[in-house]
Amino acid sequence: MAALGEFELIHRYFAAAACAAPVPGVARGIGDDCALLQLPPGEQLAVSTDTQVAGVHFPDRHDPFLLAQRTLAAATSDLAAMGATPVGFTLALTLPQADPAWLEGFARGLDVMARACDLALIGGDTTRGPLNINATVFGRLPAGQALLRSGARPGDLLCIGGPTGEAAAALPLVLGERDPNGEGDGELLARYWTPQPQLLLGQALRGLASAALDVSDGLLADCGHIAEQSAVALLVDAERVPLTAALREAAGERALQLALSGGDDYVLVFTLPPAALPGLQASGQPFHVIGRVAAGSGVRVLDRDGRDITPAAAGYQHFGGPDGQA
Amino acid sequence: MAALGEFELIHRYFAAAACAAPVPGVARGIGDDCALLQLPPGEQLAVSTDTQVAGVHFPDRHDPFLLAQRTLAAATSDLAAMGATPVGFTLALTLPQADPAWLEGFARGLDVMARACDLALIGGDTTRGPLNINATVFGRLPAGQALLRSGARPGDLLCIGGPTGEAAAALPLVLGERDPNGEGDGELLARYWTPQPQLLLGQALRGLASAALDVSDGLLADCGHIAEQSAVALLVDAERVPLTAALREAAGERALQLALSGGDDYVLVFTLPPAALPGLQASGQPFHVIGRVAAGSGVRVLDRDGRDITPAAAGYQHFGGPDGQA
């Protein structure tokens, strides 16, 4: 009865893009007042919400195809950090106008990352306003097996799922402060725009890792959450922090600093009882041991001689401002 | 290790406000990468996401205490429309700055509505940017008992959970175009700022109603969704549409028009097989029969002589622009 507004058309566009095939855990997707999720007995649902704001988390000038991938990956990384198996997501999209080219690119990028993560779009809300994208993601896992931040114990190994610092090193490229030059810069940009949530690693860590989270605010800052919630100290061996060739090339002497205090990495950091090491190695998932857990508090970086070389400012504030996630 | 930014403080503020007591269905609330929900076997989780944008859904000048209530109520109304029992919600808050007075009022309003709806704050994300508030709400209900939009059948009664039009009649007051004057205007403002989701009515409708949704975009526009998804016609008897004294006083001859095509009402509209009428009456929940379901398509308004008096424009576009919800 009501004429279809342009935003209603957007809704239909994404609804059509939503996975029509039956998805385990999704009893009803888009199209009614609520979506309905249903899990097998004995499973829990992991839920996380993440907002990306133009001018804060990404530049006003951006490629919507890449932005959509980055937005969904950033949210889904929290599922990986709990060891959850992805189920679906809701998308709340606030747009200044309905630009068909932007929407087409965004929907395409969303589809790429949703398929890569095995996530179904189950609901959404489209509103007019300054560009703001919220994704709330849902995953499932056996009750009691979620990877928490609070279980690290002295003697555990400190591990990371992949190199950090590349997304931070990409910022001058993302902001247009310098032009990409060569293969290395392409790698940096890919790490910034299309991070791949470490879902398989997270699932492999269930029953093995004593604590885990994903690195979004910088390795040291996020290690601080484990240290605080587990009431332990985390000691990082600077020499063992992986630095990629692309990062070394772009950042030179600042490579280690970016790897420690950059952000937007979306790799998992976790603690592992030494007895669990062979089991994790057998999984074939990539990881690096970068330090250990000790009694005490806080996060310290040690050089090869055991001297404390912890940088003074460890936090990361994206490029436009700080935020906090619960 | 990282210095606490002001937005981290906000996060802690809301985390402290989150319900610390055990909540059925919430295995883990705020504090890790994800919240964890767990339902008894045989239950489904209803999920809905709703965004409110400054200058679109509410005025830039507003009372944060009222805004928080309205935001959470608007989202929770979708749980009522499915017949779900509330569990919890995530809050994604984008704020231009961390204003302590605004935050204090907003947190207080959130707490009031969360208690009224029996919802626990289970997670969130706080970012800097133009004011934008997203709530994703979670409810539970027995598998297969959700109230959908698609079950209306010819012969069913068309019913509404309460009067409509008052929130639309409040708009000149909300926008400061006229000053409140008397008790009636107070009622209109309360309907706009603090709608009460009809959760008990929704739960009472389980197993009785053939279709249901909540009226957010205007009675006729939302009836159109039931008509379309059930492939029936809905006939509204103009005489039976409830008009409150406050609405009549404020809107005069436009009262019926606002009741039919206003918006932001957040009452339930539903269809009911006549045989289910005594059962619903016995529940003690308030409702009005306003018409019936017939074979055909679309929504029509009839006067006492059965003449078609359907208004031409039935949609509602809030006060700043259209949007679409999935």
Side-chain angles (χ1 to χ4, degrees), chain B residues 70-99:
Chain B
R70 176 173 150 79
T71 299
L72 189 54
T76 306
S77 186
D78 282 317
L79 294 181
M82 295 294 268
T85 301
V87 172
F89 69 106
T90 59
L91 179 73
L93 194 53
T94 305
L95 295 172
Q97 69 275 321
D99 172 353

Side-chain angles (χ1 to χ4, degrees), chain A residues 16-42:
Chain A
C19 191
V23 174
V26 181
R28 178 167 287 266
I30 280 182
D32 216 298
D33 295 288
C34 294
L36 294 173
L37 301 179
Q38 186 166 7
L39 299 183

Side-chain angles (χ1 to χ4, degrees), chain A residues 1 28 31-33 35 37-38 44-45 47 51 56 94 124-126 128 132 138 148-149 229 299 323-324 326, chain B residues 1 28 31-33 35 37-38 44-45 47 51 56 94 124-126 128 132 138 148-149 229 299 323-324 326:
Chain A
M1 154 163 287
R28 178 167 287 266
D32 216 298
D33 295 288
L37 301 179
Q38 186 166 7
Q44 292 178 323
L45 190 77
V47 178
T51 300
V56 178
T94 304
D125 190 13
T126 313
R128 186 187 295 275
N132 182 306
F138 306 98
L148 304 180
R149 299 174 172 186
Q229 294 193 31
V299 181
D323 61 10
Chain B
M1 154 161 288
R28 178 168 287 264
D32 215 297
D33 294 289
L37 301 179
Q38 185 164 8
Q44 291 177 324
L45 190 77
V47 178
T51 300
V56 178
T94 305
D125 190 14
T126 312
R128 186 187 294 276
N132 182 306
F138 307 97
L148 305 180
R149 299 174 173 185
Q229 294 194 30
V299 181
D323 61 11

Side-chain angles (χ1 to χ4, degrees), chain A residues 255-268:
Chain A
L256 178 63
Q257 183 190 331
L258 290 184
L260 293 173
S261 306
D264 289 329
D265 298 298
Y266 304 114
V267 298
L268 301 189

Side-chain angles (χ1 to χ4, degrees), chain A residues 149-151 224-232, chain B residues 28 31-32:
Chain A
R149 299 174 172 186
S150 51
H225 296 304
I226 290 181
E228 184 185 344
Q229 294 193 31
S230 296
V232 294
Chain B
R28 178 168 287 264
D32 215 297

